[in-house]
mmCIF file of all heavy atoms in Angstrom:
data_model
loop_
_atom_site.group_PDB
_atom_site.id
_atom_site.type_symbol
_atom_site.label_atom_id
_atom_site.label_comp_id
_atom_site.label_asym_id
_atom_site.label_seq_id
_atom_site.Cartn_x
_atom_site.Cartn_y
_atom_site.Cartn_z
ATOM 1 N N ALA A 147 114.684 112.734 90.108
ATOM 2 C CA ALA A 147 115.683 113.810 90.161
ATOM 3 C C ALA A 147 115.959 114.214 91.611
ATOM 4 O O ALA A 147 117.121 114.391 92.008
ATOM 5 C CB ALA A 147 115.192 115.012 89.365
ATOM 6 N N VAL A 148 114.884 114.328 92.420
ATOM 7 C CA VAL A 148 115.051 114.715 93.828
ATOM 8 C C VAL A 148 115.876 113.660 94.563
ATOM 9 O O VAL A 148 116.787 113.987 95.341
ATOM 10 C CB VAL A 148 113.674 114.857 94.524
ATOM 11 C CG1 VAL A 148 113.837 115.216 95.987
ATOM 12 C CG2 VAL A 148 112.811 115.897 93.807
ATOM 13 N N ILE A 149 115.569 112.414 94.306
ATOM 14 C CA ILE A 149 116.253 111.328 95.014
ATOM 15 C C ILE A 149 117.714 111.230 94.564
ATOM 16 O O ILE A 149 118.620 111.042 95.386
ATOM 17 C CB ILE A 149 115.469 110.007 94.831
ATOM 18 C CG1 ILE A 149 114.186 110.098 95.661
ATOM 19 C CG2 ILE A 149 116.305 108.798 95.224
ATOM 20 C CD1 ILE A 149 113.226 108.951 95.504
ATOM 21 N N ALA A 150 117.951 111.431 93.280
ATOM 22 C CA ALA A 150 119.334 111.383 92.778
ATOM 23 C C ALA A 150 120.156 112.530 93.367
ATOM 24 O O ALA A 150 121.332 112.352 93.685
ATOM 25 C CB ALA A 150 119.344 111.442 91.254
ATOM 26 N N SER A 151 119.528 113.699 93.555
ATOM 27 C CA SER A 151 120.327 114.838 94.021
ATOM 28 C C SER A 151 120.441 114.900 95.550
ATOM 29 O O SER A 151 121.455 115.342 96.074
ATOM 30 C CB SER A 151 119.759 116.153 93.477
ATOM 31 O OG SER A 151 118.489 116.392 94.037
ATOM 32 N N THR A 152 119.406 114.442 96.279
ATOM 33 C CA THR A 152 119.484 114.536 97.748
ATOM 34 C C THR A 152 120.118 113.296 98.378
ATOM 35 O O THR A 152 120.446 113.297 99.556
ATOM 36 C CB THR A 152 118.086 114.741 98.381
ATOM 37 O OG1 THR A 152 117.239 113.656 97.997
ATOM 38 C CG2 THR A 152 117.465 116.057 97.941
ATOM 39 N N LYS A 153 120.257 112.223 97.585
ATOM 40 C CA LYS A 153 120.885 110.979 98.049
ATOM 41 C C LYS A 153 120.402 110.542 99.433
ATOM 42 O O LYS A 153 121.199 110.437 100.388
ATOM 43 C CB LYS A 153 122.407 111.130 98.085
ATOM 44 C CG LYS A 153 123.026 111.456 96.729
ATOM 45 C CD LYS A 153 124.336 110.748 96.550
ATOM 46 C CE LYS A 153 124.936 110.919 95.159
ATOM 47 N NZ LYS A 153 124.023 111.389 94.132
ATOM 48 N N PRO A 154 119.111 110.286 99.574
ATOM 49 C CA PRO A 154 118.598 109.875 100.886
ATOM 50 C C PRO A 154 119.086 108.488 101.280
ATOM 51 O O PRO A 154 119.331 107.642 100.422
ATOM 52 C CB PRO A 154 117.078 109.852 100.668
ATOM 53 C CG PRO A 154 116.914 109.570 99.209
ATOM 54 C CD PRO A 154 118.071 110.261 98.528
ATOM 55 N N LYS A 155 119.214 108.287 102.575
ATOM 56 C CA LYS A 155 119.503 106.950 103.092
ATOM 57 C C LYS A 155 118.227 106.114 103.059
ATOM 58 O O LYS A 155 118.263 104.909 102.861
ATOM 59 C CB LYS A 155 120.012 107.097 104.532
ATOM 60 C CG LYS A 155 120.657 105.874 105.131
ATOM 61 C CD LYS A 155 122.018 105.628 104.499
ATOM 62 C CE LYS A 155 123.052 105.018 105.415
ATOM 63 N NZ LYS A 155 123.440 105.794 106.583
ATOM 64 N N VAL A 156 117.086 106.801 103.281
ATOM 65 C CA VAL A 156 115.798 106.119 103.369
ATOM 66 C C VAL A 156 114.770 106.824 102.486
ATOM 67 O O VAL A 156 114.699 108.049 102.477
ATOM 68 C CB VAL A 156 115.274 106.119 104.831
ATOM 69 C CG1 VAL A 156 113.845 105.567 104.916
ATOM 70 C CG2 VAL A 156 116.204 105.323 105.736
ATOM 71 N N VAL A 157 113.984 106.015 101.750
ATOM 72 C CA VAL A 157 112.805 106.531 101.046
ATOM 73 C C VAL A 157 111.592 105.913 101.718
ATOM 74 O O VAL A 157 111.500 104.680 101.821
ATOM 75 C CB VAL A 157 112.848 106.206 99.542
ATOM 76 C CG1 VAL A 157 111.507 106.502 98.877
ATOM 77 C CG2 VAL A 157 113.962 106.999 98.858
ATOM 78 N N TRP A 158 110.682 106.769 102.198
ATOM 79 C CA TRP A 158 109.552 106.319 103.023
ATOM 80 C C TRP A 158 108.252 106.454 102.237
ATOM 81 O O TRP A 158 107.841 107.557 101.888
ATOM 82 C CB TRP A 158 109.488 107.168 104.300
ATOM 83 C CG TRP A 158 108.522 106.635 105.308
ATOM 84 C CD1 TRP A 158 107.162 106.761 105.290
ATOM 85 C CD2 TRP A 158 108.832 105.896 106.492
ATOM 86 N NE1 TRP A 158 106.613 106.140 106.383
ATOM 87 C CE2 TRP A 158 107.612 105.604 107.136
ATOM 88 C CE3 TRP A 158 110.040 105.450 107.056
ATOM 89 C CZ2 TRP A 158 107.558 104.891 108.332
ATOM 90 C CZ3 TRP A 158 109.970 104.732 108.249
ATOM 91 C CH2 TRP A 158 108.743 104.458 108.870
ATOM 92 N N ILE A 159 107.618 105.307 101.991
ATOM 93 C CA ILE A 159 106.393 105.248 101.180
ATOM 94 C C ILE A 159 105.218 104.872 102.072
ATOM 95 O O ILE A 159 105.371 104.053 102.983
ATOM 96 C CB ILE A 159 106.543 104.158 100.082
ATOM 97 C CG1 ILE A 159 107.667 104.527 99.107
ATOM 98 C CG2 ILE A 159 105.231 103.923 99.342
ATOM 99 C CD1 ILE A 159 107.974 103.432 98.096
ATOM 100 N N GLU A 160 104.065 105.460 101.791
ATOM 101 C CA GLU A 160 102.833 105.020 102.452
ATOM 102 C C GLU A 160 101.766 104.941 101.371
ATOM 103 O O GLU A 160 101.483 105.936 100.705
ATOM 104 C CB GLU A 160 102.451 106.026 103.532
ATOM 105 C CG GLU A 160 101.269 105.590 104.372
ATOM 106 C CD GLU A 160 100.899 106.673 105.387
ATOM 107 O OE1 GLU A 160 101.803 107.320 105.952
ATOM 108 O OE2 GLU A 160 99.688 106.875 105.582
ATOM 109 N N THR A 161 101.185 103.769 101.161
ATOM 110 C CA THR A 161 100.164 103.608 100.128
ATOM 111 C C THR A 161 99.209 102.480 100.471
ATOM 112 O O THR A 161 99.682 101.398 100.828
ATOM 113 C CB THR A 161 100.809 103.387 98.741
ATOM 114 O OG1 THR A 161 99.769 103.248 97.754
ATOM 115 C CG2 THR A 161 101.702 102.152 98.674
#
Side-chain angles (χ1 to χ4, degrees):
V148 178
I149 288 174
S151 67
T152 58
K153 300 218 174 343
K155 193 72 147 298
V156 173
V157 169
W158 190 282
I159 296 174
E160 186 183 322
T161 181

